Amino acid sequence: MNKIFLVAQREFLTRVQKKTFLLSTIGLPLIIFLFYGMIIYFSVKTTDNFRIAVADKANIFNGKIASKDNEVLFEFVKSDTAALQNAIDQKTYEAYLYVPATFTLDGKDSLRFRSGKAVGLMTREKIQSSINKALEEKRLANFNITRAQLDSLQQEKEYIQYSSAGGKTENDAKVGVSYAVGMISGFMIYIILFIYGTMVMRGVMEEKVSRIAEVIISSVKPFQLMMGKIFGIGAVGLVQFIIWIILVFGLQFAIAMLFPSVVESMQGQPIQPAGMQAAQAVKSSGALAGVMSGLNSINFPFIIGCFIFYFIGGYLLYSSLFAAVGSAVNEDPQDAQSLLLPITMPIIFAIVIMMKAVNDPNSTLAIFGSLFPLTSPIVMMARVAHGVPEGVTYFQLILSVVFLILGFLGTTWVAAKIYRTGILMYGKKITWKEMWKWAWKKN
Amino acid sequence: MSKILELRNLKKYYATQKAVDDISFSIEKGSIFGLLGPNGAGKTTLLRMITGIFYPDSGEIDLDGKKFDPINDIINIGYMPEERGLYKKMKIGEQALYLAQLKGLSKADALEKIKFWFKRLEMESWWNKKVEDLSKGMSQKLQFVTTVLHEPKLIILDEPFSGLDPLNANLIKDEIYGLAQRGCTVIFSTHRMEQVEEICDHIVLVNLGQKILDGTVAGVKQQFKENKYCIKLHQLPSLINSDAFELVEQEANLLTVKIKEGKNSNDVLKYFIEQQLTIESFNELLPSLNEIFINLVEGTRATTRAFQPINA
């Protein structure tokens, strides 16, 4: 046990002391945040005072287009196109909007918009939505419908009350938030398995290629060396994650302090595909207040507890397999590719099942995926995000935990045997068939 | 003298060959022991069993009178394998400390011993260097230090001099003698027969997984002597014809003769004295270990041994 600790200590310290560790742990999130900060900053700042001359020959707008903010201004003029073009050239206006005299509200005619220089996406959207809104108001007025009447028509959602078998009422916001939490935590575990699993594999390969393995094995049991490496790198991962979490919260706080106005738009920013989908799910499910109540209804300490358990369990389960592959590879890293396939397949399967489970946490596939130890670390996160017992029963959760622990013991036992043989085997290209034989032979 | 290591009927079979096939021998405490054999003879497998890396399929190993316990006897063994390696990116001092701690030394103890050895072999300035900055010979020296620094009872060195210049080789050789004098036993595995003749007290030759020779260097030479003598004469004889010996080789006035069965060296001398020839020197020609090695191993298919199916 003492020797496992010694090995783990070395693995941990040599990695943490490297410059690349500091760079990837602290530098990378900083750069990403800086990047986003800049995007947000410029998307907010660039459009100041975009003035549009509106020549409303048909008098559709009654001399007024309401603008969302002060960045896009509509000013009504009575010039013809030539004069308007001239005004743009003189930079009196940035663009002009020409409404032909024949323009009607039946949607068959089009407005002419011309600008001096290319218009940014954000600005274009603002212009579009302002004009659409104004036109919509006019059309409503034509049909003698008020905005309030229209809104009441569109609120059909409130007539259905979703509730689960447990009898608890669920609102859409909660489902959306659960979806987001499940998706994000599932993806995070997926990434962890790959990053740190590969790190373990590289570490084993390094020892084998540099021929130090035999020196070490003469003073440490192969099992101790393998476990030390796995624990050491796991600790690196844990530290890295804690630093990231602190950085993310700290920086979010800092951004909120620096640009109070952008916090709202921040929430819609695509940080990663899962985040974006989740954010859209949240958006579509209603108002901010709903999301807040959804967030409150989620048992975060429980989710975080599950996350840490499945993170550690999944890592331990897979890293020993990655170590076994590393031990079988010779100098050529190409060999690792083909040997890795049987390990990466279940991880990819798990992410596919997780995508389904996050929508339908009680389908047969989701239940299977969350119990089977090779997929459960990822799939179960999608189910627990929906809460217990709505997403997963206590019985299934406990069963999954037990299976994962058994699975970890199983893979470690098998991997240790492959590792023992592989680490001292040189010059021969190893196949899965041979590794299978090593795993089951005596000694 | 008592035995430090005793192997009894050790066997280790792989799928395609009998790597070690029923080998027994013992090594005396404080001796320098040579384990010889052609490539693929099973030396490395044998050494790996002695160090506890492999478990024998059958047979027993006794270390210092007790049954060998791979886990607790680590501190008693220092092993420098033929395939050497160190962590390239790690600092030399830290590396030595780590390896010593893995052997079971406490940190303070390890530090003290490393300082002692680094000073002794003039390596003090290396402490904060990385292994990748070292030449092959330098890292060899470092490897030697990490192998012996806990002064184990049994030191196993696989080709310890490869890559060392004569100066450093002598330095290491002196350390090996020193360690043996202080009571350590050294097992020395090599193909370089002249080194074995120079250093070892006792040798065992393995081939095809079996022991084919066991004895002291002098004893083995006696065992394989062919009754050859070298005679230097002052003047060249015209014709040599004697029933006591036959002429094997003649180079100017230097003759190599082989004494016939039932005769002895006096008969040879008598012949030359009777011929009125002045003898300048006369000495026995013992075979070199190299010759014995080649004689024993040649023709045994040692090089074609790999990958034959066995029925075990």
Side-chain angles (χ1 to χ4, degrees), chain A residues 335-353:
Chain A
D335 297 347
Q337 297 283 324
S338 56
L339 289 178
L340 269 181
L341 196 69
I343 299 178
T344 48
M345 284 301 280
I347 305 183
I348 291 163
F349 261 129
I351 206 81
V352 173
I353 299 176

Side-chain angles (χ1 to χ4, degrees), chain A residues 264-304:
Chain A
E264 204 177 329
S265 55
M266 262 285 295
Q267 279 160 351
Q269 284 297 322
I271 289 162
Q272 49 165 298
M276 187 171 67
Q277 285 184 25
Q280 273 167 0
V282 171
K283 253 190 198 164
S284 64
S285 66
L288 198 67
V291 174
M292 288 316 287
S293 81
L295 281 172
N296 286 336
S297 68
I298 282 186
N299 187 351
F300 272 105
F302 172 71
I303 300 255
I304 289 171

Side-chain angles (χ1 to χ4, degrees), chain A residues 49-52 88 91-96 114-117:
Chain A
N49 285 334
F50 194 89
R51 304 200 314 153
I52 302 163
I88 289 172
K91 298 216 161 65
T92 324
Y93 294 105
E94 268 73 36
Y96 72 79
R114 188 160 294 168
S115 60
K117 52 186 189 237

Side-chain angles (χ1 to χ4, degrees), chain A residues 97-111:
Chain A
L97 180 71
Y98 185 79
V99 186
T102 53
F103 187 82
T104 54
L105 283 169
D106 57 15
K108 279 175 189 149
D109 302 308
S110 56
L111 302 167

